[in-house]
Amino acid sequence: MLDRETKASERPGDHKDELRLWLRLLTCSTLIETEIRNRLREEFKTTLPRFDLMAQLDKTAVGMTVGEVSQRLMVSNGNVTAVVAGLVTDGLVDKRSAPQDRRVQILTLTASGRKAFRAMAERHEGWIAELFAGLDQPELAQLFRLLGETKTSLHRAIADRAKDAADEAAKGNA
C-alpha cells in the first residue's frame, strides 16, 4: 500500500527524521480514520461527521447550540447545519429555538438518537481497541506518553512563533 510515509521512505536520505515522523503520524491517523469511516458506513449506514456530532450531543442532556457544536468539532456552522438537517430528518436529533433568543437553535439527541449513538459508540470503542491490538499495554502507555510530549512540544513551538511574530510587529510599529 502506497501512503505518504512509504513515498518518503523510498529515498530516506532526502528526508530528516522530523519529517519522516510527521509523515508516519499522518499516515497512522489517516489509516485509522479511513477504517473508522468505512466501518461506520458498512455497519451503521452513517458517516463520521454524523457520529462526531452525535458524540458531542451525547455529552449533555440540555443540548447545545449549533455554534457550540461547530466550535467543539472545529468546523463551520454551515457544516454543522448540513449534518444536523439529515439527523433531524432521520429522527435522531431534535432542533428547537432557544427560549431567550428564537434565532439560536438548540440541538439535542432524541431518545432513538441516543440509543443509536450508544450502539455506534460501543462498536467504535471495540474497533479502536482492535486497531491497536498489536500493541501491548506498556507500549500503549509509552506511545501515549510520547505523543503527549509531542503535543506539548508543538504547542510550545506554535506559541514561540506567535510571540516572535508579535515581537517583530512591535519593532515595526516602534
Side-chain angles (χ1 to χ4, degrees), residues 97-171:
S97 296
Q100 70 278 12
D101 185 346
R102 309 290 292 164
R103 297 168 297 171
V104 175
Q105 299 293 305
I106 303 292
L107 308 173
T108 54
L109 285 175
T110 62
S112 62
R114 197 167 299 279
K115 182 178 177 183
F117 171 74
R118 298 232 169 120
M120 286 187 278
E122 185 176 326
R123 293 291 293 139
H124 178 270
E125 187 174 336
W127 298 333
I128 297 298
E130 182 184 322
L131 292 172
F132 283 98
L135 301 174
D136 63 24
Q137 211 50 50
E139 289 168 329
L140 286 171
Q142 181 182 24
L143 182 56
F144 190 79
R145 182 184 57 75
L146 289 170
L147 288 173
E149 291 176 22
T150 302
K151 183 178 173 182
T152 299
S153 175
L154 294 169
H155 281 298
R156 188 176 316 117
I158 292 165
D160 288 349
R161 180 176 169 270
K163 183 184 178 305
D164 290 347
D167 290 348
E168 284 299 314
K171 285 181 190 173

Side-chain angles (χ1 to χ4, degrees), residues 43-73:
E43 192 165 327
F44 295 101
K45 309 289 186 261
T46 197
T47 64
L48 187 55
R50 285 170 61 108
F51 176 84
D52 289 343
L53 194 147
M54 292 173 75
Q56 293 306 311
L57 295 180
D58 188 59
K59 295 176 182 180
T60 176
V62 297
M64 292 183 187
T65 66
V66 170
E68 289 170 333
V69 172
S70 69
Q71 263 189 326
R72 287 174 176 255
L73 295 177

